[in-house]
């Protein structure tokens, strides 16, 4: 990923030790690792959200195609998308039904 060799890594470690000192170096490493982990988790969450939104958009496009062609003569893929949308709609409406 970063193409850092052994000597570059050793130089960075020595400089960090000289600048921060042996007392603050472990805390700085933990902080850096924690920040990198948080950034990676945010990027993963963003990626999953974009994929989810693209899937929703695809389902809506398939529903529009199915409505234009009429629900009788549509492809099995479009029927599957319509069924998924119907299931999603019913699951959303379930908590709001009157008892």
């Amino acid at each position: 990923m970063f193409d850092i060799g052994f000597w570059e890594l050793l130089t960075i470690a020595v400089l960090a030790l000289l600048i921060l000192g042996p007392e603050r170096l472990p805390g700085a490493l933990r902080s850096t690792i924690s920040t990198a982990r948080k950034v990676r988790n945010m990027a993963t969450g963003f990626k999953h959200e974009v994929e989810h939104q693209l899937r929703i958009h695809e389902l809506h496009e398939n529903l529009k195609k199915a409505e234009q062609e009429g629900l009788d003569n549509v492809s099995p893929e479009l029927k599957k998308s319509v069924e998924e949308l119907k299931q999603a709609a019913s699951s959303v409406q379930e908590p709001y039904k009157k008892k």
Side-chain angles (χ1 to χ4, degrees), residues 73-92:
N73 35 332
V74 294
S75 69
E77 178 184 300
L78 288 178
K79 283 184 181 180
K80 182 181 175 194
S81 293
V82 169
E83 288 302 318
E84 286 180 31
L85 283 172
K86 285 181 181 178
Q87 289 174 356
S90 66
S91 70
V92 168

Side-chain angles (χ1 to χ4, degrees), residues 18-86:
L18 289 174
I19 292 171
L20 296 174
E23 299 88 22
R24 293 188 296 175
L25 186 61
L29 286 174
R30 277 192 292 273
S31 175
T32 303
I33 290 171
S34 173
T35 302
R37 216 175 264 142
K38 287 177 186 176
V39 168
R40 188 180 321 129
N41 288 341
M42 285 176 41
T44 302
F46 179 74
K47 176 183 170 191
H48 288 304
E49 183 65 28
V50 168
E51 288 173 352
H52 181 70
Q53 291 298 325
L54 287 174
R55 178 70 179 138
I56 289 173
H57 180 70
E58 178 186 352
L59 288 173
H60 282 287
E61 289 297 318
N62 287 341
L63 182 61
K64 286 179 186 177
K65 285 181 188 176
E67 287 176 349
Q68 289 173 353
E69 294 177 9
L71 291 175
D72 297 331
N73 35 332
V74 294
S75 69
E77 178 184 300
L78 288 178
K79 283 184 181 180
K80 182 181 175 194
S81 293
V82 169
E83 288 302 318
E84 286 180 31
L85 283 172
K86 285 181 181 178

Side-chain angles (χ1 to χ4, degrees), residues 2-16:
F2 284 113
D3 194 28
I4 295 177
F6 173 74
W7 293 110
E8 290 90 358
L9 193 59
L10 184 65
T11 304
I12 292 170
V14 169
L15 284 175

